[in-house]
Amino acid sequence: MEEKLILDGSKVLWHKERIEQWKRGEKFAPITIDCALTTKCSYRCIYCYGKMQCINQSDNLDKETIFNFLEDAAEIGVKAVSFVSDGESTCNPNLKDAIVYGKSLGLDMALGTNGFLLKDEELEEILPCLTYLRFNISAGEADRYAYIHGVDEKCYHKVVETMKKAVAIRKEKNLPVTIGTQMVLMPELADQIMPLAKLGKEIGVDYFVIKHCSDDEEGTLGIDYSKYDEIVPILKEAEALSTENYQVSAKWSKILSHGKKNYCKCFGAPFILQMSGTGLVAPCGMFFNEKYSKYHIGNIKEKRFKEIFESDRYWEVMKSITSEEFDPNRDCGTLCLQHKTNEVLWSIYQNDEIPNPVGEKPNHINFI
């Protein structure tokens, strides 16, 4: 089956104008910004990268700060904003208004969430404004869900009902929004692959994606990437459940990479920028910890995002992670958000040629 959604790759080649600006050494706006509206979270997932950042749960970003950020993003040419990053944005009461306002500014909007705090009436308002809604769920059985996500079993049942409601609203209103689920796969969680694949199909979501678990450069989570090789048969069994209307995809290129990168510079950050729920602007979510302060650019609580973007500091930091002194295999965590885009840009850098994208224009093109 030809996959309708690119879930293990990069869409950066569909934004040739930004790549050309990059090649010419010009300043250019991010295509996508991945951010959170808080660092708070209602869950305590065993694989959480955010808990390694040693960031105290900060106050929610206030409505004025959020709206100012969205206005600036739209003005400088950002195409899409996804509320994901290092906090559960449903913990911020301004989330609904932020999604609606961002859409009104012409931005493509998306939300990744555990779904527990989403209310039915909020779904009615946000689904028409979202390009995609992704439920982050790593177990298809209540008892395992409780263990993996650090919550009560009742949370599993609530989230399943919320997923069903979202699908029903989408169908009733004939909305174009994509609804999917994502599993963070630690090798020891392989028993939940098939229950989740079957659950997504039963509920009627559009896709189920199985992704690797990112670890930091010190191996704090202790992920043994070689053990992913043993799970290949289960992943293929899950993908076999795909139909014309339901796509099951493992992120093979990352799952089987053993945590290694084949590029020596990070070129992807200016194309897909990350921001913390504290308001911190940094090239990558793996740099939110204070020990990476040399990569911290500014904070939207203190300065308008446009001012931060136009500052010398912004471009100095972006250049620093493409210098000879920076080694992505040594100086940052494994398989980051920018990984696939970095692979594409590294190839362009080495060959001095921008290839044409292959195939038809993909869905969600602005979420690269």
Side-chain angles (χ1 to χ4, degrees), residues 239 292 316 329:
E239 287 193 330
Y292 303 112
E316 287 168 0
N329 274 302

Side-chain angles (χ1 to χ4, degrees), residues 197-213:
K198 293 174 181 177
L199 178 67
K201 191 170 188 176
E202 174 190 335
I203 292 174
V205 300
D206 298 297
Y207 70 86
F208 168 48
V209 62
I210 306 147
K211 64 168 288 187
H212 63 290
C213 182

